[in-house]
Amino acid sequence: MITCNRADSADITGCEPPTVRGTLREASRTDESAERWVSVDGSAGTVTRTARGTTTEFPAGKDRASLNGPTYRFLESLPTDPDRLLELIYADTRRNHGPGSNSTTGPDQQAFVAIGDLLRTVETPPGLSAALYRAAARIPGVVLVPEATDAVGRPGVAVARAHNGERTEWIFDRQTLRLLGERTVLLKKSPWGPTGTPVTSVAILTRGITDHPTPPPQP
């Protein structure tokens, strides 16, 4: 069995730094649209399709999954109690982003990012999504943004947290609460643009579980 995410994204921060022309700085956007097929237990390679072609990553192995590289089976093993789940996530972020780690992110912001990655990267088992939402709500600084738009223009409501002049937003459909995508927005003017500029924006178009990757579409 394989989980699949098909997503469209526009990325500024992944590009080269803005170039200076006179007194103006300009940054170009890149299209990072992709399909990603992930073995549910890590026993098979991950297939990624982009406009540049198809690549296959060698399997990491069934026992190599982690919070930072999850599989569907790994997610099934996580607790669905929000407090226990958050403590598990914080144990990782404090170790890698706490005092003495030289990290500029900090454990709170990294816990928020980690939960977003778990929701976005792999299809989430029933029950775990709700636990992740409730765990995120317990992180200091997390707020609700009433109006947000994903990379393909779909409107929604966002759960967000600000850090270092940027706000990371997870965007959900208002009716179904399905995760639509994610974006990072500038909270103050910077070389990347004025206040309110999305520097990264991702839309999850389809996702699900199948027996094998489907053939690529014919031109």
Side-chain angles (χ1 to χ4, degrees):
M1 296 173 65
I2 295 172
T3 65
C4 173
N5 276 349
R6 181 167 177 258
D8 279 359
S9 67
D11 189 357
I12 289 179
T13 56
C15 308
E16 292 297 320
T19 58
V20 178
R21 295 184 180 177
T23 59
L24 298 176
R25 290 175 179 261
E26 298 180 356
S28 61
R29 294 178 181 269
T30 60
D31 182 355
E32 300 293 338
S33 302
E35 290 182 5
R36 187 166 181 263
W37 305 79
V38 185
S39 170
V40 295
D41 61 3
S43 62
T46 296
V47 177
T48 302
R49 296 185 182 132
T50 70
R52 295 180 293 274
T54 300
T55 61
T56 302
E57 301 173 21
F58 291 104
K62 292 184 179 182
D63 58 349
R64 297 289 299 278
S66 67
L67 289 171
N68 300 309
T71 62
Y72 187 86
R73 293 288 182 248
F74 175 81
L75 294 182
E76 284 185 318
S77 72
L78 295 179
T80 54
D81 175 80
D83 291 320
R84 289 179 57 207
L85 181 59
L86 187 60
E87 184 52 42
L88 182 68
I89 292 168
Y90 263 119
D92 179 77
T93 63
R94 291 189 187 108
R95 180 171 59 252
N96 295 306
H97 298 272
S101 66
N102 295 320
S103 171
T104 59
T105 305
D108 288 338
Q109 177 65 11
Q110 191 58 37
F112 184 76
V113 170
I115 290 175
D117 288 345
L118 291 174
L119 288 168
R120 177 173 53 84
T121 306
V122 180
E123 178 76 0
T124 310
L128 184 62
S129 293
L132 288 167
Y133 299 153
R134 295 188 177 100
R138 290 160 165 78
I139 298 173
V142 171
V143 299
L144 184 70
V145 178
E147 303 287 340
T149 305
D150 70 10
V152 295
R154 296 176 298 184
V157 61
V159 175
R161 190 176 192 278
H163 175 74
N164 198 27
E166 298 179 348
R167 185 175 65 215
T168 301
E169 301 176 351
W170 311 332
I171 305 167
F172 298 89
D173 183 278
R174 287 190 180 89
Q175 303 302 319
T176 66
L177 297 183
R178 179 173 63 91
L179 182 64
L180 298 178
E182 177 184 346
R183 71 175 184 172
T184 302
V185 178
L186 293 178
L187 296 180
K188 57 185 178 181
K189 184 178 180 181
S190 85
W192 299 110
T195 301
T197 298
V199 293
T200 62
S201 186
V202 176
I204 299 172
L205 302 183
T206 58
R207 66 193 312 178
I209 298 177
T210 184
D211 289 333
H212 53 77
T214 61
Q218 297 299 313

